[in-house]
Amino acid sequence: QSALTQPASVSGSPGQSITISCTGSSSDVGAYNHVSWYQQHPGKAPKLIIYDVNKWPSGVSNRFSGSKSGNTASLTISGLQAEDEADYYCCSYAGSRVFGVFGGGTKLTV
Amino acid sequence: QVLLQESGPGLVKPSQTLSLTCTVSGGSISSGSFYWSWIRQSAERGLEWIGRLYTGGITSYSPSLKSRVSMSVDTSKNQFSLELKSLTAADTAVYYCARGDWGYFDHWGQGALVTVSS
């Protein structure tokens, strides 16, 4: 069982926006502003798309945005494109003993 | 551009020890303030952080794997390594090495599939 809870799947049409939730606890998501999101295409390594809740790594589209409220973080993808179809994972810092706890992943179908 | 590449055996027998190495290029493993981690992914367990290593060899491990894991660094080769003991079928996974900081991993290796089977 994953430490963070994500919906198994979401879907949207090209041009639409979707939001993926990531629910943790007061020991991880709720305790730190160190939530990150990853995009993973089949057979590829995860790619960082959001870090520290709402920051973009260099080269990542601003169609991806992150937010957090209490123990739940969210990833919003606007202007959906076919290439956004992938698995998305959230991750949170959970203290010095657990550097990163991941969500179970959400399959996005466009 | 920092690149990471995992290397090691693809098949390991139950009860044996897995040894993987991550070679880092495009940057020194001993410079900066980043942590170097091992992460694995399986269909059953999803993504699972295994442990991290910091400059000087300071390590911390996942509580669930701590009794079986050790990590080390070889700065002369710009490499860091993972050892996982007493393997079972549940340890079958794709193993990634990654660079990161608190709660995020910004550079990943391509992944190494490790199968535990006799």
Side-chain angles (χ1 to χ4, degrees):
Chain A
Q1 184 175 2
S2 299
L4 306 181
T5 301
Q6 298 180 232
S9 64
V10 298
S11 63
S13 300
Q16 287 186 333
S17 296
I18 62 95
T19 297
I20 299 171
S21 62
C22 170
T23 301
S25 70
S26 57
S27 299
D28 39 62
V29 175
Y32 306 97
N33 286 324
H34 294 305
V35 177
S36 54
W37 289 90
Y38 303 84
Q39 177 191 63
Q40 186 178 35
H41 288 107
K44 301 293 187 182
K47 173 189 174 183
L48 178 68
I49 55 174
I50 292 287
Y51 70 102
D52 287 353
V53 177
N54 56 12
K55 297 179 182 177
W56 293 285
S58 175
V60 172
S61 170
N62 59 9
R63 295 188 300 106
F64 298 95
S65 61
S67 62
K68 191 188 87 166
S69 177
N71 296 336
T72 298
S74 298
L75 172 71
T76 297
I77 309 174
S78 59
L80 275 176
Q81 300 177 1
E83 58 261 37
D84 297 332
E85 185 162 294
D87 293 327
Y88 291 84
Y89 295 87
C90 61
C91 178
S92 175
Y93 181 74
S96 60
R97 292 177 64 241
V98 186
F99 202 53
V101 291
F102 288 92
T106 299
K107 182 176 181 60
L108 169 62
T109 301
V110 179
Chain B
Q1 172 74 331
V2 175
L3 297 175
L4 295 89
Q5 176 70 58
E6 304 88 352
S7 58
L11 179 64
V12 189
K13 289 180 168 49
S15 80
Q16 290 190 339
T17 297
L18 169 66
S19 296
L20 291 173
T21 296
C22 181
T23 301
V24 179
S25 58
S28 171
I29 199 170
S30 56
S31 68
S33 61
F34 293 105
Y35 296 86
W36 304 91
S37 285
W38 287 97
I39 298 162
R40 67 182 182 180
Q41 184 175 29
S42 65
E44 295 75 24
R45 304 164 77 95
L47 285 164
E48 180 181 19
W49 174 74
I50 299 170
R52 64 166 172 159
L53 183 149
Y54 191 58
T55 303
I58 301 170
T59 57
S60 64
Y61 305 125
S62 167
S64 64
L65 296 170
K66 187 175 182 178
S67 63
R68 300 194 291 132
V69 172
S70 66
M71 293 175 60
S72 60
V73 62
D74 186 338
T75 54
S76 68
K77 296 181 179 179
N78 224 32
Q79 295 176 334
F80 63 104
S81 299
L82 168 72
E83 281 200 348
L84 182 62
K85 301 182 296 186
S86 304
L87 293 174
T88 70
D91 294 311
T92 293
V94 176
Y95 285 74
Y96 294 101
C97 58
R99 187 189 84 166
D101 208 331
W102 290 22
Y104 73 84
F105 307 94
D106 61 351
H107 289 83
W108 296 63
Q110 65 183 31
L113 174 61
V114 175
T115 301
V116 181
S117 175
S118 56

PDB file of all heavy atoms in Angstrom, chain A residues 1 10 14 21 23 34 39 41 44 51 71-72 74 76-77 80 83 106-108:
ATOM      1  N   GLN A   1       0.843  -1.213   0.000  1.00  0.00           N
ATOM      2  CA  GLN A   1       0.000   0.000   0.000  1.00  0.00           C
ATOM      3  C   GLN A   1       0.874   1.257   0.000  1.00  0.00           C
ATOM      4  O   GLN A   1       1.793   1.378   0.789  1.00  0.00           O
ATOM      5  CB  GLN A   1      -0.886   0.011   1.233  1.00  0.00           C
ATOM      6  CG  GLN A   1      -1.868   1.184   1.255  1.00  0.00           C
ATOM      7  CD  GLN A   1      -2.827   1.111   2.434  1.00  0.00           C
ATOM      8  OE1 GLN A   1      -2.736   0.216   3.248  1.00  0.00           O
ATOM      9  NE2 GLN A   1      -3.730   2.067   2.528  1.00  0.00           N
ATOM     10  N   VAL A  10      -7.619   9.128 -14.484  1.00  0.00           N
ATOM     11  CA  VAL A  10      -8.383  10.305 -14.861  1.00  0.00           C
ATOM     12  C   VAL A  10      -8.338  10.392 -16.368  1.00  0.00           C
ATOM     13  O   VAL A  10      -7.453   9.818 -17.014  1.00  0.00           O
ATOM     14  CB  VAL A  10      -7.834  11.614 -14.242  1.00  0.00           C
ATOM     15  CG1 VAL A  10      -7.905  11.582 -12.726  1.00  0.00           C
ATOM     16  CG2 VAL A  10      -6.432  11.889 -14.724  1.00  0.00           C
ATOM     17  N   PRO A  14      -8.538  16.666 -25.439  1.00  0.00           N
ATOM     18  CA  PRO A  14      -7.545  17.682 -25.820  1.00  0.00           C
ATOM     19  C   PRO A  14      -8.079  19.089 -25.604  1.00  0.00           C
ATOM     20  O   PRO A  14      -9.236  19.382 -25.930  1.00  0.00           O
ATOM     21  CB  PRO A  14      -7.303  17.387 -27.303  1.00  0.00           C
ATOM     22  CG  PRO A  14      -7.576  15.933 -27.441  1.00  0.00           C
ATOM     23  CD  PRO A  14      -8.726  15.660 -26.500  1.00  0.00           C
ATOM     24  N   SER A  21      -5.383  14.529  -7.607  1.00  0.00           N
ATOM     25  CA  SER A  21      -5.168  14.767  -6.182  1.00  0.00           C
ATOM     26  C   SER A  21      -4.177  13.773  -5.603  1.00  0.00           C
ATOM     27  O   SER A  21      -3.961  12.684  -6.147  1.00  0.00           O
ATOM     28  CB  SER A  21      -6.488  14.675  -5.417  1.00  0.00           C
ATOM     29  OG  SER A  21      -7.035  13.366  -5.557  1.00  0.00           O
ATOM     30  N   THR A  23      -3.332  12.607  -1.626  1.00  0.00           N
ATOM     31  CA  THR A  23      -3.665  12.789  -0.212  1.00  0.00           C
ATOM     32  C   THR A  23      -2.691  12.038   0.675  1.00  0.00           C
ATOM     33  O   THR A  23      -2.488  10.832   0.505  1.00  0.00           O
ATOM     34  CB  THR A  23      -5.098  12.318   0.068  1.00  0.00           C
ATOM     35  OG1 THR A  23      -6.001  13.067  -0.756  1.00  0.00           O
ATOM     36  CG2 THR A  23      -5.458  12.540   1.529  1.00  0.00           C
ATOM     37  N   HIS A  34       7.307  20.273   0.458  1.00  0.00           N
ATOM     38  CA  HIS A  34       8.239  19.548  -0.399  1.00  0.00           C
ATOM     39  C   HIS A  34       7.487  18.420  -1.104  1.00  0.00           C
ATOM     40  O   HIS A  34       7.790  17.240  -0.939  1.00  0.00           O
ATOM     41  CB  HIS A  34       9.404  18.984   0.418  1.00  0.00           C
ATOM     42  CG  HIS A  34      10.291  20.030   1.017  1.00  0.00           C
ATOM     43  ND1 HIS A  34      10.893  21.017   0.267  1.00  0.00           N
ATOM     44  CD2 HIS A  34      10.669  20.246   2.302  1.00  0.00           C
ATOM     45  CE1 HIS A  34      11.607  21.790   1.061  1.00  0.00           C
ATOM     46  NE2 HIS A  34      11.485  21.362   2.303  1.00  0.00           N
ATOM     47  N   GLN A  39       5.997  12.702 -14.247  1.00  0.00           N
ATOM     48  CA  GLN A  39       5.322  12.145 -15.410  1.00  0.00           C
ATOM     49  C   GLN A  39       6.137  10.943 -15.889  1.00  0.00           C
ATOM     50  O   GLN A  39       7.357  11.030 -16.001  1.00  0.00           O
ATOM     51  CB  GLN A  39       5.255  13.193 -16.527  1.00  0.00           C
ATOM     52  CG  GLN A  39       4.638  12.717 -17.825  1.00  0.00           C
ATOM     53  CD  GLN A  39       4.870  13.725 -18.940  1.00  0.00           C
ATOM     54  OE1 GLN A  39       5.997  14.011 -19.335  1.00  0.00           O
ATOM     55  NE2 GLN A  39       3.784  14.300 -19.454  1.00  0.00           N
ATOM     56  N   HIS A  41       6.167   8.006 -18.929  1.00  0.00           N
ATOM     57  CA  HIS A  41       5.665   7.318 -20.106  1.00  0.00           C
ATOM     58  C   HIS A  41       6.124   5.865 -20.064  1.00  0.00           C
ATOM     59  O   HIS A  41       7.138   5.550 -19.425  1.00  0.00           O
ATOM     60  CB  HIS A  41       6.153   8.012 -21.387  1.00  0.00           C
ATOM     61  CG  HIS A  41       5.484   9.317 -21.649  1.00  0.00           C
ATOM     62  ND1 HIS A  41       6.120  10.532 -21.492  1.00  0.00           N
ATOM     63  CD2 HIS A  41       4.216   9.610 -22.063  1.00  0.00           C
ATOM     64  CE1 HIS A  41       5.286  11.506 -21.797  1.00  0.00           C
ATOM     65  NE2 HIS A  41       4.114  10.979 -22.138  1.00  0.00           N
ATOM     66  N   LYS A  44       9.822   4.284 -19.666  1.00  0.00           N
ATOM     67  CA  LYS A  44      10.740   5.392 -19.382  1.00  0.00           C
ATOM     68  C   LYS A  44      10.842   5.654 -17.892  1.00  0.00           C
ATOM     69  O   LYS A  44       9.995   5.238 -17.110  1.00  0.00           O
ATOM     70  CB  LYS A  44      10.263   6.668 -20.081  1.00  0.00           C
ATOM     71  CG  LYS A  44      10.150   6.548 -21.591  1.00  0.00           C
ATOM     72  CD  LYS A  44      11.502   6.378 -22.243  1.00  0.00           C
ATOM     73  CE  LYS A  44      11.389   6.443 -23.754  1.00  0.00           C
ATOM     74  NZ  LYS A  44      12.716   6.235 -24.412  1.00  0.00           N
ATOM     75  N   TYR A  51       8.137  20.633  -8.373  1.00  0.00           N
ATOM     76  CA  TYR A  51       8.771  20.369  -7.086  1.00  0.00           C
ATOM     77  C   TYR A  51       8.423  21.477  -6.106  1.00  0.00           C
ATOM     78  O   TYR A  51       7.965  22.551  -6.520  1.00  0.00           O
ATOM     79  CB  TYR A  51      10.292  20.189  -7.233  1.00  0.00           C
ATOM     80  CG  TYR A  51      11.053  21.460  -7.569  1.00  0.00           C
ATOM     81  CD1 TYR A  51      11.751  22.147  -6.583  1.00  0.00           C
ATOM     82  CD2 TYR A  51      11.079  21.962  -8.863  1.00  0.00           C
ATOM     83  CE1 TYR A  51      12.453  23.297  -6.872  1.00  0.00           C
ATOM     84  CE2 TYR A  51      11.774  23.111  -9.165  1.00  0.00           C
ATOM     85  CZ  TYR A  51      12.468  23.784  -8.174  1.00  0.00           C
ATOM     86  OH  TYR A  51      13.161  24.934  -8.465  1.00  0.00           O
ATOM     87  N   ASN A  71      -3.521  18.332   3.951  1.00  0.00           N
ATOM     88  CA  ASN A  71      -2.818  17.086   3.668  1.00  0.00           C
ATOM     89  C   ASN A  71      -2.958  16.627   2.222  1.00  0.00           C
ATOM     90  O   ASN A  71      -2.556  15.502   1.899  1.00  0.00           O
ATOM     91  CB  ASN A  71      -3.324  15.972   4.599  1.00  0.00           C
ATOM     92  CG  ASN A  71      -3.035  16.249   6.057  1.00  0.00           C
ATOM     93  OD1 ASN A  71      -2.121  16.998   6.397  1.00  0.00           O
ATOM     94  ND2 ASN A  71      -3.830  15.652   6.938  1.00  0.00           N
ATOM     95  N   THR A  72      -3.542  17.477   1.383  1.00  0.00           N
ATOM     96  CA  THR A  72      -3.760  17.092  -0.016  1.00  0.00           C
ATOM     97  C   THR A  72      -3.062  18.044  -0.974  1.00  0.00           C
ATOM     98  O   THR A  72      -3.231  19.256  -0.890  1.00  0.00           O
ATOM     99  CB  THR A  72      -5.268  17.053  -0.334  1.00  0.00           C
ATOM    100  OG1 THR A  72      -5.901  16.069   0.492  1.00  0.00           O
ATOM    101  CG2 THR A  72      -5.495  16.678  -1.802  1.00  0.00           C
ATOM    102  N   SER A  74      -2.250  18.805  -5.199  1.00  0.00           N
ATOM    103  CA  SER A  74      -2.935  18.624  -6.477  1.00  0.00           C
ATOM    104  C   SER A  74      -2.045  19.036  -7.629  1.00  0.00           C
ATOM    105  O   SER A  74      -1.250  19.979  -7.506  1.00  0.00           O
ATOM    106  CB  SER A  74      -4.231  19.451  -6.522  1.00  0.00           C
ATOM    107  OG  SER A  74      -5.135  19.042  -5.526  1.00  0.00           O
ATOM    108  N   THR A  76      -2.503  20.130 -11.630  1.00  0.00           N
ATOM    109  CA  THR A  76      -3.437  20.507 -12.682  1.00  0.00           C
ATOM    110  C   THR A  76      -2.685  20.582 -13.998  1.00  0.00           C
ATOM    111  O   THR A  76      -1.601  21.167 -14.066  1.00  0.00           O
ATOM    112  CB  THR A  76      -4.102  21.856 -12.381  1.00  0.00           C
ATOM    113  OG1 THR A  76      -4.880  21.741 -11.177  1.00  0.00           O
ATOM    114  CG2 THR A  76      -5.023  22.272 -13.523  1.00  0.00           C
ATOM    115  N   ILE A  77      -3.247  19.966 -15.011  1.00  0.00           N
ATOM    116  CA  ILE A  77      -2.701  20.048 -16.360  1.00  0.00           C
ATOM    117  C   ILE A  77      -3.734  20.765 -17.212  1.00  0.00           C
ATOM    118  O   ILE A  77      -4.869  20.292 -17.342  1.00  0.00           O
ATOM    119  CB  ILE A  77      -2.392  18.661 -16.950  1.00  0.00           C
ATOM    120  CG1 ILE A  77      -1.538  17.832 -15.975  1.00  0.00           C
ATOM    121  CG2 ILE A  77      -1.679  18.802 -18.289  1.00  0.00           C
ATOM    122  CD1 ILE A  77      -1.314  16.397 -16.424  1.00  0.00           C
ATOM    123  N   LEU A  80      -4.867  20.185 -22.288  1.00  0.00           N
ATOM    124  CA  LEU A  80      -4.405  18.815 -22.477  1.00  0.00           C
ATOM    125  C   LEU A  80      -3.970  18.549 -23.911  1.00  0.00           C
ATOM    126  O   LEU A  80      -4.634  18.963 -24.877  1.00  0.00           O
ATOM    127  CB  LEU A  80      -5.502  17.824 -22.104  1.00  0.00           C
ATOM    128  CG  LEU A  80      -5.641  17.435 -20.633  1.00  0.00           C
ATOM    129  CD1 LEU A  80      -6.834  16.515 -20.447  1.00  0.00           C
ATOM    130  CD2 LEU A  80      -4.367  16.790 -20.127  1.00  0.00           C
ATOM    131  N   GLU A  83       0.279  14.106 -25.971  1.00  0.00           N
ATOM    132  CA  GLU A  83       1.525  13.635 -25.359  1.00  0.00           C
ATOM    133  C   GLU A  83       1.505  13.683 -23.831  1.00  0.00           C
ATOM    134  O   GLU A  83       2.427  13.195 -23.178  1.00  0.00           O
ATOM    135  CB  GLU A  83       2.731  14.419 -25.879  1.00  0.00           C
ATOM    136  CG  GLU A  83       2.653  15.907 -25.653  1.00  0.00           C
ATOM    137  CD  GLU A  83       2.187  16.644 -26.895  1.00  0.00           C
ATOM    138  OE1 GLU A  83       1.321  16.105 -27.614  1.00  0.00           O
ATOM    139  OE2 GLU A  83       2.686  17.762 -27.121  1.00  0.00           O
ATOM    140  N   THR A 106      -1.349   7.764 -11.041  1.00  0.00           N
ATOM    141  CA  THR A 106      -2.612   8.016 -11.727  1.00  0.00           C
ATOM    142  C   THR A 106      -2.382   7.927 -13.227  1.00  0.00           C
ATOM    143  O   THR A 106      -1.493   8.593 -13.759  1.00  0.00           O
ATOM    144  CB  THR A 106      -3.154   9.413 -11.385  1.00  0.00           C
ATOM    145  OG1 THR A 106      -3.405   9.502  -9.978  1.00  0.00           O
ATOM    146  CG2 THR A 106      -4.437   9.705 -12.154  1.00  0.00           C
ATOM    147  N   LYS A 107      -3.167   7.103 -13.886  1.00  0.00           N
ATOM    148  CA  LYS A 107      -3.052   6.974 -15.341  1.00  0.00           C
ATOM    149  C   LYS A 107      -3.945   8.019 -15.991  1.00  0.00           C
ATOM    150  O   LYS A 107      -5.166   8.026 -15.777  1.00  0.00           O
ATOM    151  CB  LYS A 107      -3.452   5.579 -15.801  1.00  0.00           C
ATOM    152  CG  LYS A 107      -3.312   5.371 -17.306  1.00  0.00           C
ATOM    153  CD  LYS A 107      -3.616   3.957 -17.705  1.00  0.00           C
ATOM    154  CE  LYS A 107      -3.456   3.756 -19.206  1.00  0.00           C
ATOM    155  NZ  LYS A 107      -2.081   4.063 -19.647  1.00  0.00           N
ATOM    156  N   LEU A 108      -3.342   8.906 -16.770  1.00  0.00           N
ATOM    157  CA  LEU A 108      -4.081   9.931 -17.488  1.00  0.00           C
ATOM    158  C   LEU A 108      -4.306   9.474 -18.920  1.00  0.00           C
ATOM    159  O   LEU A 108      -3.375   9.170 -19.649  1.00  0.00           O
ATOM    160  CB  LEU A 108      -3.319  11.256 -17.480  1.00  0.00           C
ATOM    161  CG  LEU A 108      -3.852  12.343 -18.424  1.00  0.00           C
ATOM    162  CD1 LEU A 108      -5.280  12.746 -18.040  1.00  0.00           C
ATOM    163  CD2 LEU A 108      -2.946  13.556 -18.421  1.00  0.00           C
TER     164      LEU A 108
END
